[in-house]
Amino acid sequence: MQKKLALVLALAILVGTLCTGCLFNIFQTARTIGAGNVAFTLGTGFFTIDVEDETSAYVTPQARLAVGLADGIDLGLQSGAMVAVPGGDPGWLGLVGDLKFSLFDEPESFALALGFGGGYSVEFVGTGWGVFGEIFLDSNLRVLPIFFAYQPGIPIGGDSFVLLHHFAGGLKLKLSEQTRLLVQGDVRGGLLSVGLALEIGF
């Protein structure tokens, strides 16, 4: 137990260090990790923006820490940076946390989970603070290892009510009992980001 606690603290420090953008990728699926377990996800997104007839490209290295509070309940923390390609100073994406609840997870069938969260993110235009809900749907079929996610978000403290829509979907490839590769696309406000992440459980 002390080893797991030390690992959680080390990973939390690493996530905090990355808080040093424009789009978080939803680097998670409907699966929860189980009581007392820890999962660390390292990934990056890539997107382009057209501004004044010029196309700028960005990468968004991100880290996510998840802790299993109970069977079917995960607490997560995610942060990252945005860096212009081929070079440039990194911008901070923010720091968000969430709580995810598994509704069901049937082997060789489907999994469904709901969640909610909030925090500081450049996605929440205005004050930077906001809250969001989450819906996750996974296929557990071996021949179709896909997942979908939806996060409706609301900025806090703005001049008017705004509802943001963030969709993600892709492949969840099992590399071992504790390791998965996520290959996905995220869409938010007309911005498309392709993402790749490695999730490692402990």
Side-chain angles (χ1 to χ4, degrees):
M1 185 62 180
Q2 288 180 342
K3 278 183 155 182
K4 282 191 176 181
L5 183 58
L7 181 61
V8 168
L9 291 174
L11 294 177
I13 291 169
L14 179 58
V15 170
T17 303
L18 289 176
C19 299
T20 343
C22 198
L23 178 70
F24 272 116
N25 295 83
I26 303 176
F27 284 137
Q28 59 175 318
T29 70
R31 185 181 80 166
T32 52
I33 60 176
N37 294 325
V38 175
F40 189 58
T41 305
L42 276 177
T44 189
F46 174 81
F47 66 93
T48 60
I49 297 179
D50 293 324
V51 179
E52 298 177 0
D53 298 326
E54 278 192 26
T55 300
S56 298
Y58 297 88
V59 292
T60 53
Q62 297 162 61
R64 176 175 177 79
L65 173 67
V67 178
L69 300 181
D71 287 337
I73 303 176
D74 286 359
L75 175 65
L77 185 67
Q78 185 168 342
S79 188
M82 181 175 76
V83 183
V85 178
D89 294 330
W92 184 41
L93 284 176
L95 180 64
V96 296
D98 69 338
L99 201 58
K100 180 170 63 177
F101 303 87
S102 174
L103 299 183
F104 63 85
D105 191 350
E106 298 294 333
E108 298 303 322
S109 182
F110 295 93
L112 179 66
L114 300 178
F116 64 91
Y120 182 84
S121 169
V122 294
E123 296 180 0
F124 297 122
V125 178
T127 65
W129 294 95
V131 295
F132 53 85
E134 300 174 312
I135 302 172
F136 302 98
L137 176 64
D138 292 5
S139 164
N140 290 333
L141 302 173
R142 292 185 188 186
V143 296
L144 194 65
I146 60 174
F147 69 94
F148 299 98
Y150 170 56
Q151 281 185 346
I154 302 171
I156 296 174
D159 295 333
S160 60
F161 177 81
V162 178
L163 180 61
L164 307 172
H165 302 282
H166 187 156
F167 299 91
L171 297 172
K172 51 184 184 71
L173 306 173
K174 183 177 178 180
L175 304 180
S176 72
E177 286 302 318
Q178 301 295 327
T179 308
R180 296 191 306 168
L181 183 67
L182 303 179
V183 182
Q184 67 189 68
D186 291 70
V187 177
R188 182 189 171 279
L191 181 64
L192 170 65
S193 172
V194 292
L196 183 68
L198 182 67
E199 177 189 274
I200 304 171
F202 300 93

